[in-house]
Amino acid sequence: MSYFDDNSFYDDNSIHAYDEPSSGGYYPPPERTPMRSSRHTRRMNALIGILATALLIALTVGIVYVVRSYAVSIERTPSGLTLSLGAKQEPAATPETSEPSVSEPQQAASDAVSSDAQVHQSAPLGTGVTLEITDSPSSVQTRPSDEESALSLQEIYQQVIGSVVSITTATPSGTASGTGIIMSADGYVITNHHVIENAQVISVLTSDDHQYDAMLVGSDETSDIAVLKMDASGLQPAQFGDSSQLRVGDSVVAIGDPLGVQLRGTMTNGIISAINRDLTVGDRTMTLIQTNAALNNGNSGGPLINCYGQVVGINTMKMSSYYSSASIEGLGFAIPISVAKPIIDELIENGYVAGRPAIGITGETLPNTFRTYYHLPSGIYVTSVAEGSDAKAKGLSEGDVITAINDIPVTSIDELNKVKNQFVAGDTVTLTVYRGGQYYLVDIVLVDQATGK
């Protein structure tokens, strides 16, 4: 059995059994020794831990003090390792502005580099020494050709720059800029159609910083040529050359406003890379001069010039990375001036180019989802028909779908125009038209795009 009080307990090992004497007497059990309480044990352990921590801190502080205050070294001797303790030498006093420590090689390199700098920094000012520039001879003329009558690049620029103008337009969507060529002293200017397309206001800036408002004389989207007229006189017209005489390898230069008016009057040089290059632009094919003279946005409408200072082309486009994932450079194109001349003359005479064929309708390419939903074939959805056109007289109406022209299937406006542009106004073509679940053949006389007749 065990006995308990409020503060202690007795070990069962101290409890012993006693036999009662035979005489019936009673002997009390011996006193039992209580064990130490658990609370007392925890207190003792905590005290011992605190003392051990304090001793460890004191020992650490002492070691740090000795190491910082004295020179401590350990050496190997015949009898073993020897610990020596001596006074630590303080470093020599340094100026108030201290420099970070560096290794000996770094310090040597720093001293070598900074020695001259310190001399220059401390050199006196106002010694009267100035930079002297000696007289230089005039630059050598850069000649792109060995032809006797060929001009140098410097002479070409001086001869032509007065005939190059900067064109800025205001359109419903913002502003646009390009380059133009002065054609006559009384203010006729040649440029590209896409430079002045949708323009509400046209401004022309000449090389001598005179600015003029310009009117549109005529514009032809197919050839990308436009003619403007300024109210001016005494201008310097360009000299035009025969582009049909060009050969691959001929030297040429371009002058214009790459990226806008800020860089106006920029000249770049190159060669004729190819002639009679047929390129499809939208729904039409253009026959162009190819050159590696640098062209950028803003050069459009500017001159391509031969080695005699004559304008042989109207810069119109640059091949861009649209055709490839790689960056494309050195592929510029210009309209041959011999091709442009009859169009320019007709624009000045009539304000338009006669004979451009038109069906007399407007339409749009059918999206696949639209065709699928309404069960329509691939083709051009007619949105309107021009009054007075033969298409109107033959009964074409909004909602018809043109699926072929002269039995050639067409699925887009570009494909339709590509076939149509092989004809002239007055020619007859046969359209295949889908309406109400049935196909019809309709003969249409093409009208003049400019007049609608």
Side-chain angles (χ1 to χ4, degrees), residues 359 361 377-378 380 382 391 394-405 410 430-444:
I359 297 174
I361 59 100
S378 297
I380 295 88
V382 177
K394 296 295 177 58
L396 260 68
S397 63
E398 180 182 348
D400 289 344
V401 179
I402 300 174
T403 61
I405 177 172
V410 290
T430 301
L431 302 180
T432 302
V433 179
Y434 176 86
R435 177 192 297 173
Q438 295 183 347
Y439 290 90
Y440 301 89
L441 296 179
V442 183
D443 292 332
I444 301 293

Side-chain angles (χ1 to χ4, degrees), residues 223-244:
S223 62
D224 196 24
I225 295 175
V227 177
L228 310 177
K229 179 67 170 66
M230 302 183 295
D231 186 10
S233 62
L235 300 178
Q236 177 185 329
Q239 181 181 354
F240 296 89
D242 186 359
S243 59
S244 65

Side-chain angles (χ1 to χ4, degrees), residues 63 66-67 70-86:
I63 292 172
V66 170
V67 172
Y70 298 93
V72 180
S73 63
I74 300 176
E75 299 179 354
R76 181 181 295 276
T77 63
S79 60
L81 297 177
T82 302
L83 177 66
S84 61
L85 185 66

Side-chain angles (χ1 to χ4, degrees), residues 364-377 381 399 401:
E364 60 185 27
T365 304
L366 286 174
N368 290 334
T369 53
F370 185 91
R371 292 192 300 101
T372 301
Y373 185 82
Y374 288 101
H375 305 288
L376 297 175
Y381 184 84
V401 179

Side-chain angles (χ1 to χ4, degrees), residues 49-377:
I50 292 172
L51 292 175
T53 302
L55 180 60
L56 180 59
I57 293 174
L59 181 59
T60 302
V61 172
I63 292 172
V64 171
Y65 174 78
V66 170
V67 172
R68 292 177 62 108
S69 302
Y70 298 93
V72 180
S73 63
I74 300 176
E75 299 179 354
R76 181 181 295 276
T77 63
S79 60
L81 297 177
T82 302
L83 177 66
S84 61
L85 185 66
K88 186 174 183 180
Q89 296 181 354
E90 294 294 333
T94 58
E96 292 183 2
T97 303
S98 60
E99 297 294 334
S101 61
V102 295
S103 64
E104 291 183 1
Q106 290 175 327
Q107 186 62 48
S110 177
D111 292 343
V113 172
S114 64
S115 60
D116 288 341
Q118 291 173 358
V119 172
H120 291 305
Q121 290 173 358
S122 61
L125 300 177
T127 58
V129 178
T130 59
L131 176 67
E132 294 184 2
I133 298 178
T134 60
D135 292 336
S136 300
S138 299
S139 61
V140 178
Q141 297 289 324
T142 306
R143 296 193 176 275
S145 174
D146 294 332
E147 291 286 339
E148 183 177 353
S149 56
L151 303 178
S152 68
L153 294 181
Q154 293 88 340
E155 290 170 337
I156 293 173
Y157 187 81
Q158 291 300 322
Q159 177 173 308
V160 181
I161 186 60
S163 304
V164 180
V165 297
S166 303
I167 298 175
T168 304
T169 66
T171 67
S173 59
T175 60
S177 63
T179 308
I181 309 165
I182 296 177
M183 174 185 167
S184 65
D186 59 349
Y188 280 94
V189 174
I190 305 167
T191 188
N192 284 146
H193 165 83
H194 73 261
V195 170
I196 52 82
E197 188 174 14
N198 300 321
Q200 297 174 324
V201 177
I202 304 174
S203 178
V204 175
L205 179 65
T206 59
S207 62
D208 57 359
D209 294 328
H210 284 83
Q211 189 155 351
Y212 301 88
D213 291 332
M215 298 178 295
L216 178 63
V217 175
S219 184
D220 181 54
E221 181 180 5
T222 301
S223 62
D224 196 24
I225 295 175
V227 177
L228 310 177
K229 179 67 170 66
M230 302 183 295
D231 186 10
S233 62
L235 300 178
Q236 177 185 329
Q239 181 181 354
F240 296 89
D242 186 359
S243 59
S244 65
Q245 299 299 315
L246 290 174
R247 296 181 300 170
V248 173
D250 285 352
S251 296
V252 289
V253 301
I255 300 178
D257 299 358
L259 306 182
V261 178
Q262 184 176 4
L263 300 179
R264 70 190 180 106
T266 296
M267 183 173 80
T268 56
N269 70 314
I271 62 170
I272 298 295
S273 303
I275 55 176
N276 299 325
R277 183 72 82 191
D278 290 337
L279 287 184
T280 300
V281 182
D283 58 3
R284 63 192 187 278
T285 299
M286 301 179 68
T287 301
L288 304 172
I289 300 169
Q290 181 180 329
T291 178
N292 67 342
L295 301 178
N296 289 282
N297 294 335
N299 278 109
S300 294
L304 185 70
I305 309 157
N306 64 15
C307 63
Y308 309 109
Q310 300 171 328
V311 176
V312 292
I314 304 170
N315 298 322
T316 185
M317 71 178 70
K318 171 190 175 181
M319 192 75 75
S320 69
S321 57
Y322 172 80
Y323 294 93
S324 170
S325 59
S327 177
I328 297 176
E329 299 296 337
L331 289 178
F333 297 90
I335 304 168
I337 204 67
S338 298
V339 174
K341 173 181 167 45
I343 297 171
I344 293 169
D345 292 344
E346 192 165 356
L347 289 176
I348 295 174
E349 180 69 23
N350 302 319
Y352 61 88
V353 176
R356 301 286 192 207
I359 297 174
I361 59 100
T362 58
E364 60 185 27
T365 304
L366 286 174
N368 290 334
T369 53
F370 185 91
R371 292 192 300 101
T372 301
Y373 185 82
Y374 288 101
H375 305 288
L376 297 175

